[in-house]
Amino acid sequence: QVQLVESGGGLVQPGGSLRLSCAASGTIGSIADMGWYRQAPGKERELVITLGNDGSRNDGDSVKGRFTISRDNGKNTVYLQMNSLKPEDTAVYYCKAEIRSTGSPYFANYWGKGTLVTVSS
């Protein structure tokens, strides 16, 4: 079993910063891409940013220049640093990882349950 657990969400004022973490645990053989998606009320889930284990990045258009991603492969953890937050960044943020379980030759996508980020004064 593989599990992703996000943390770090909460209420922040416009212009503020917040850091999210996502830790993967369980029977992990290897991890390829790790990243973040978000879903605002009444909207579809969208890409925030992802980071491959080769250092390749894929940024969503709405967060370029404001959000950064990093990962600690030794801890199977990915981080999202969010700066210059805007009210339109309010959403549930989901962690996603491509993980090959121990003993399996295949990678599968796993999702966390999400953490709520609210940007409001």
Side-chain angles (χ1 to χ4, degrees), residues 51-70:
L51 179 63
N53 57 10
D54 60 355
S56 58
R57 278 179 48 165
N58 187 15
D59 293 30
D61 289 339
S62 61
V63 305
K64 286 181 178 178
R66 299 188 298 123
F67 291 9
T68 58
I69 188 171
S70 61

Side-chain angles (χ1 to χ4, degrees), residues 34-52:
M34 297 187 82
W36 296 90
Y37 291 72
R38 69 185 182 185
Q39 188 166 16
K43 296 187 176 181
E44 294 186 353
R45 191 172 297 189
E46 65 172 358
L47 167 70
V48 177
I49 191 169
T50 62
L51 179 63

